[in-house]
Amino acid sequence: MKILVVAEHNNLELLPSTLHTVSAANIIGSSDLLVVGSNCQNVINSCSKINGINNVLFCDNEIYKNPLAENVSILIKSIAKEYSHILFPNTANGKNIAPRLAALLDVMVIPDIIEIIDDSTFKRPIYAGNAIATYKSNDNCKVITVRTTAFEKAELKSEESEILPLEPATNSELSKYISSELSKSERPELTAADIVVSGGRGLGSSENFKVLEKLADKLGAAMGASRAAVDAGYVPNDWQVGQTGKVVAPNLYIAAGISGAIQHLAGMKDSKVIVAINKDEEAPIFTVSDYGLSDDLFKAVPEMEKLIE
């Protein structure tokens, strides 16, 4: 039984989601790691030091500078017959490439798994996390995306795995990269942050979010928000935490002015410690919080900030 993990990176550095996915793969068995990109030698070197990895396969070519699913899936298909499992992080890239690869291989895709029972049986959340479905697949090659917050990071090792090159596949020319607009912030990346401070519609305006931003800056935290706050235009889309946003599991999650709709809880309830601040004592957020404060956030948050050195 051979397992392949497809690395998530930006051609400059390996992203933490890869380490979580390798950890999931290690439950099944030892793995090979595939790096597809352009001018990504630093990423390849980083991958060779991950515990549980036998070989690092890489294809470094201009075709893969931007990970278009149409091209990457063809490359992976060319080596797929050697593997019983192919795992992706359940990120935008993973969710884009995995279904196309599964279609090319004529197998089902098993998305967003949170638990591995055995090599053919997996669990994943459904209905915004209110129920857990168990999937069993008899496919020869199982294409899987992994909810990275459900698994710890794989550890690093001192010795390096063997690095093996792959020949690039033919450019499908089915799609073309035009451009991308990436948000830049001095704060930690939301899905990788140890601390997240989130606000909801209770903030009332984008200006009021500065109350939370001061707290986040003191804590070195990432900023998040509920869908209601995003839809109201208070904050950017990439701050959204929830079923239709980003799934986070930081060591500390502070929710201020968030009532706790099911869709939001699905994106943060796996956080290690949850602190909720809301004037409504009956707010659903208090059902999942470890610490709850029924108070006016505009009084409570500045007081918290003052107490932090």
Side-chain angles (χ1 to χ4, degrees):
M1 183 183 300
K2 292 184 66 178
I3 305 158
L4 181 68
V5 175
V6 181
E8 180 90 1
H9 62 92
N10 58 9
N11 288 321
L12 299 175
E13 60 182 354
L14 185 68
L15 299 183
S17 56
T18 303
L19 298 176
H20 294 280
T21 306
V22 170
S23 182
N26 286 344
I27 296 173
I28 306 171
S30 59
S31 315
D32 289 345
L33 188 59
L34 174 63
V35 179
V36 183
S38 176
N39 295 320
C40 56
Q41 190 60 48
N42 286 340
V43 176
I44 297 167
N45 293 339
S46 297
C47 289
S48 69
K49 299 175 183 177
I50 300 174
N51 194 35
I53 295 299
N54 291 328
N55 301 306
V56 176
L57 312 178
F58 76 93
C59 189
D60 192 325
N61 191 282
E62 184 66 22
I63 297 174
Y64 307 115
K65 183 177 181 180
N66 300 288
L68 298 175
E70 291 78 4
N71 292 335
V72 176
S73 58
I74 293 174
L75 174 66
I76 300 174
K77 182 191 175 186
S78 69
I79 60 172
K81 62 183 179 181
E82 301 177 23
Y83 297 97
S84 60
H85 299 72
I86 301 177
L87 276 62
F88 297 80
N90 194 55
T91 58
N93 282 333
K95 289 186 284 188
N96 189 25
I97 300 169
R100 188 170 188 88
L101 174 64
L104 292 175
L105 297 175
D106 195 23
V107 300
M108 66 182 289
V109 62
I110 307 171
D112 201 20
I113 67 165
I114 59 170
E115 185 179 340
I116 298 171
I117 298 174
D118 57 40
D119 60 12
S120 62
T121 313
F122 312 90
K123 289 186 177 183
R124 66 175 293 254
I126 57 174
Y127 303 131
N130 285 302
I132 304 298
T134 301
Y135 283 68
K136 187 174 181 66
S137 171
N138 294 322
D139 289 329
N140 292 329
C141 181
K142 298 166 182 61
V143 178
I144 299 166
T145 69
V146 175
R147 179 174 291 200
T148 55
T149 57
F151 300 89
E152 298 295 331
K153 288 182 180 180
E155 297 180 353
L156 302 181
K157 58 185 180 180
S158 55
E159 69 276 11
E160 295 185 354
S161 301
E162 187 174 0
I163 299 174
L164 305 171
L166 294 177
E167 290 296 321
T170 305
N171 190 335
S172 70
E173 298 184 352
L174 291 173
S175 63
K176 182 181 179 182
Y177 173 81
I178 303 299
S179 66
S180 57
E181 295 181 12
L182 302 177
S183 59
K184 295 182 179 180
S185 174
E186 294 181 358
R187 295 192 181 94
E189 202 277 320
L190 180 56
T191 56
D194 284 333
I195 304 174
V196 174
V197 177
S198 279
R201 187 162 43 194
L203 271 294
S205 70
S206 57
E207 186 70 21
N208 288 340
F209 258 84
K210 291 180 180 178
V211 174
L212 295 187
E213 291 185 52
K214 290 179 181 178
L215 176 62
D217 290 341
K218 275 280 187 77
L219 293 171
M223 283 296 300
S226 67
R227 178 171 179 172
V230 172
D231 287 348
Y234 299 163
V235 293
N237 289 345
D238 60 340
W239 286 20
Q240 185 178 328
V241 173
Q243 184 182 16
T244 54
K246 295 179 179 178
V247 177
V248 300
N251 290 324
L252 173 62
Y253 187 88
I254 300 175
I258 296 176
S259 63
I262 290 174
Q263 291 81 359
H264 184 77
L265 299 184
M268 46 65 72
K269 65 181 181 181
D270 290 329
S271 303
K272 304 299 184 293
V273 177
I274 300 172
V275 176
I277 305 170
N278 198 297
K279 287 193 295 186
D280 181 6
E281 295 181 0
E282 304 298 322
I285 191 73
F286 290 126
T287 64
V288 299
S289 64
D290 298 285
Y291 301 93
L293 176 61
S294 179
D295 199 354
D296 184 348
L297 71 89
F298 296 107
K299 294 180 180 178
V301 172
E303 288 179 12
M304 289 174 63
E305 183 198 336
K306 290 177 182 176
L307 294 172
I308 298 169
E309 292 295 333

